[in-house]
């Protein structure tokens, strides 16, 4: 029986320009309200506390156990130039095969990320979340549910998991002054994203707005597991093929960004591998009833 893998990882995406992911890209932002300066600057500790809250929810809902994969790559705790980070991994069958938690720090500030890859036995969207505290006092986040099917070809899936989120997204965008929409700068990430991916920049430094939105986004995803049924074997093959390609794109994205930021290529690839998990050789998706 193959080992199901859901890669759910909190990792720190490193941007090509001194790790400032989450700041608005030129020509891609939309102002929602007037900015207000926060009296308390968000820090790496704030990002870590959001991660801890997310992990507590995940561990309560899913059967996770610690795994030493990041440590085997020398990336459980790593440092390269101005950057440093921590990566921890968890396994959990049958629905969850892999969970990675990571946090990266540098002169830019700190950023963490959660990416949950659902096993091919289920067609619930993958989970993608980032949260960052920037050195200039601003904060940012990206929230997405990565689609498992071609959305134009499956409008029911589109409506169930994506169109249903639009009203909530508007509420999030109005939850803090000065919120700006941003575009993900990486072509690999843009390829994977859903049409309703929400990337927001908070110049006011409202880390509580980020904390609330991240928690609600995770709660919605965990709620989809209630009563979730396994898909048939034919669908599993298609999901497996699509997920494997996206898994490799995640690795390429993280590796490219780390290298562009000045991290040694060998170290960059090791950290990227630790962030995305053990790899598709364990991502076979046969399920408990597989042969």
């Amino acid at each position: 029986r193959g080992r199901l893998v859901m890669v759910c990882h909190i990792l720190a995406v490193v941007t090509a320009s001194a790790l400032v992911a989450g700041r608005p890209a030129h020509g891609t932002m939309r102002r929602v309200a007037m900015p207000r300066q926060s009296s308390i600057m968000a820090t790496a500790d704030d990002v870590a506390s959001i991660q801890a809250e997310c992990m507590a929810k995940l561990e309560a809902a899913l059967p996770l156990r610690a795994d030493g994969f990041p440590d085997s790559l020398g990336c459980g705790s790593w440092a390269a130039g101005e950057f440093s980070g921590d990566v921890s991994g968890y396994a959990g069958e049958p629905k969850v095969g892999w969970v990675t938690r990571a946090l990266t720090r540098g002169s830019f500030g700190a950023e963490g990320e959660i990416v949950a890859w659902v096993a091919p036995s289920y067609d619930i969207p993958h989970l993608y979340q980032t949260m960052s505290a920037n050195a200039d006092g601003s904060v940012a986040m990206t929230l997405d549910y990565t689609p498992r099917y071609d959305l134009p070809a499956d409008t029911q899936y589109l409506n169930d998991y994506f169109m249903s989120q639009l009203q909530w997204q508007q509420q999030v965008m109005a939850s803090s002054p000065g919120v700006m929409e941003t575009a993900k700068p990486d072509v690999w990430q843009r390829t994977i994203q859903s049409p309703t991916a929400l990337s927001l920049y908070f110049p006011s430094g409202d880390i509580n707005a980020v904390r609330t939105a991240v928690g609600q986004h995770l709660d919605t995803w965990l709620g989809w597991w209630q009563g979730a049924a396994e898909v048939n074997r034919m669908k599993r093959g298609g999901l497996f093929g699509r997920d494997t390609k996206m898994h490799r794109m995640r690795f390429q994205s993280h590796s490219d960004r780390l290298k562009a930021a000045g991290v040694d290529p060998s170290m960059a690839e090791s950290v990227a591998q630790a962030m995305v998990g053990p790899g598709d050789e364990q991502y076979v998706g046969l399920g408990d009833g597989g042969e």
Side-chain angles (χ1 to χ4, degrees), residues 36-277:
R36 178 182 64 192
Q37 191 65 32
S38 175
S39 59
I40 301 176
M41 183 177 295
T43 67
D45 288 341
D46 293 304
V47 175
S49 70
I50 295 175
Q51 290 181 317
E53 291 169 9
C54 290
M55 286 303 304
K57 289 182 178 182
L58 287 166
E59 290 181 291
L62 300 169
L64 305 183
R65 61 181 183 278
D67 189 285
F69 177 70
D71 289 325
S72 73
L73 298 174
C75 298
S77 180
W78 63 274
E82 69 167 279
F83 308 120
S84 63
D86 302 293
V87 185
S88 55
Y90 306 84
E93 292 86 6
K95 295 177 180 179
V96 178
W98 188 254
V99 175
T100 305
R101 171 180 176 172
L103 178 69
T104 295
R105 309 171 189 83
S107 60
F108 70 98
E111 184 168 287
E113 179 176 315
I114 302 173
V115 178
W117 294 78
V118 180
S121 294
Y122 297 86
D123 62 5
I124 293 171
H126 301 309
L127 177 75
Y128 183 83
Q129 300 182 320
T130 72
M131 64 291 296
S132 63
N134 301 317
D136 63 1
S138 64
V139 296
M141 68 180 185
T142 293
L143 305 177
D144 194 20
Y145 301 121
T146 308
R148 313 292 300 287
Y149 299 116
D150 179 24
L151 296 182
D154 193 333
T155 55
Q156 185 63 53
Y157 192 83
L158 172 66
N159 290 330
D160 289 346
Y161 293 115
F162 302 99
M163 302 303 291
S164 62
Q165 301 303 309
L166 295 179
Q167 183 176 358
W168 173 78
Q169 288 186 347
Q170 290 300 317
Q171 294 172 352
V172 173
M173 291 171 63
S175 67
S176 183
V179 178
M180 302 175 186
E181 285 187 274
T182 70
K184 202 68 176 173
D186 183 297
V187 66
W188 301 112
Q189 298 283 25
R190 294 198 303 270
T191 300
I192 296 171
Q193 281 184 332
S194 79
T196 56
L198 184 67
S199 294
L200 298 180
Y201 170 74
F202 298 74
S204 65
D206 192 348
I207 193 67
N208 288 328
V210 172
R211 185 187 303 275
T212 298
V214 168
Q216 292 173 344
H217 188 254
L218 177 58
D219 288 344
T220 295
W221 184 80
L222 289 173
W224 289 336
W225 283 102
Q226 301 300 316
E230 292 190 23
V231 300
N232 62 49
R233 184 172 296 276
M234 183 176 296
K235 285 187 175 181
R236 293 180 193 183
L239 293 173
F240 169 66
R242 183 185 180 99
D243 292 348
T244 296
K245 292 177 181 178
M246 289 194 291
H247 186 271
R248 292 168 182 168
M249 288 181 181
R250 290 279 189 218
F251 169 82
Q252 193 66 52
S253 172
H254 302 323
S255 177
D256 287 352
R257 289 179 175 182
L258 286 162
K259 292 175 184 177
V263 176
D264 175 78
S266 178
M267 173 63 78
E269 292 183 3
S270 293
V271 173
Q273 186 63 66
M275 288 177 171
V276 301

